[in-house]
Amino acid sequence: MAYLIFALKSMCYAIMASVVEEIFFLPELTPIPAAPADLVGLINLRGELLPVIDLTIRLGYPEPNYALSDSVIILKFNNIRLGIIVTQVSEVKMIANDEIKTELAYNFQQEFDQIHPSYYLQGVAQVDEHLVMVLNPETLIQYISHSLPDFNLEKINPEGNQSPIHGESSRKNNFRKLQNYIFSTDATPEERQIFQERAKNLRHPIDDQDFAGLVPLAVISLNGEYFGVNLEIIREFTDIHHITPIPCTPPHIVGNMNLRGEILTLVNIRGLVNLPLQTSQVLSKAMIVKINDIVAGIIVEGIFDVIYLKESEIKTIPTAVHLKQDEYLQGTAFYQDKMISILNVAKIMTQGELFVDQEV
């Protein structure tokens, strides 16, 4: 059976791919007063209000510090939909039923306000070099159903404001709590604006969005500057672990990394766009790209958003002011109140002299 593999903090999890409806970057969430701590809020997904849970809270991690690279996976099971926040979405893998060790998933008796973390598990499986916790969508849905006994989601304003169905006094108390609520308190003002824009975009029905002819771009940062990269060539984003240096290579060849059994070369493209390599900086994230037969990891600082632009919104760089470092740029475009450069990653990978000819 096919399972979607994803990460929660440093742990690997899986859930049946058949119950996954869609995946998108984490937006700002609207809180639900008096809900359990791990039921962290609601999203308005094209007019339907969906609860979102953070399993890391139930699993005993400290209060989460959400990042722009976090995602929400929308699940649908028995005609009920909900979202779960994950650190990173990996891939879809086939896992046979006999590979899932169910004896490790204890079937604890459900209490009214206490649910053991193992209650969510179907079992544990070995996937490549990782032990993967396989989630049980049925118990997740049951948990959500029992966690909202006092709220009617239809009474909540689809723009995000709560309107509980209790008396006037309760309604006023809940609104006071919401007035002081800040989503992701550790986020910068710029990051908070991105969370809010994502929530706003999710509210629009698909029928109101004509994606035909639009260019999908991932917004990344290099040395604090924003760049756009065509989403179609990006295979995934991943954390960097255990870099193996490659002897006798130029500084922009960072080394090799083992990504689920696949050896990938990590490269630093900053020099090609006239940015310092900053070899002393912490290398934490990589953007895995595939150009024809070339698969490589590009070092990035952060992944901020996915946007869709009309081709007319992408401005070419005038030939009269074209500099050498612009050779690997496709153009520029506005992102919020910033002007970002759009990288020509295909040209960087094929003509940027990033790789060393190892033939003798």
Side-chain angles (χ1 to χ4, degrees), residues 32-94:
I32 308 174
D38 50 346
L39 187 51
V40 287
L42 297 169
I43 56 172
N44 181 337
L45 184 58
R46 298 184 288 275
E48 181 179 357
L49 296 168
L50 302 180
V52 177
I53 61 175
D54 187 338
L55 289 177
T56 62
I57 297 175
R58 176 60 62 177
L59 295 172
Y61 286 95
E63 185 173 342
N65 178 19
Y66 295 123
L68 291 173
S69 55
D70 292 339
S71 296
V72 174
I73 302 176
I74 300 297
L75 308 176
K76 183 176 182 180
F77 189 81
N78 290 343
N79 293 321
I80 299 177
R81 303 170 76 202
L82 63 90
I84 59 174
I85 299 175
V86 303
T87 307
Q88 180 183 331
V89 178
S90 179
E91 60 184 338
V92 174
K93 283 277 190 177
M94 299 301 295

Side-chain angles (χ1 to χ4, degrees), residues 235-259:
R235 199 173 75 177
E236 63 182 287
F237 292 97
T238 186
D239 293 330
I240 296 175
H241 300 289
H242 309 301
I243 299 175
T244 302
I246 305 174
C248 304
T249 54
H252 58 258
I253 303 294
V254 179
N256 286 337
M257 181 182 73
N258 187 325
L259 181 63

Side-chain angles (χ1 to χ4, degrees), residues 121-138:
L121 294 183
Q122 176 183 340
V124 181
Q126 183 76 42
V127 178
D128 299 330
E129 71 272 22
H130 298 292
L131 277 177
V132 175
M133 309 297 164
V134 182
L135 293 175
N136 186 332
E138 183 174 5

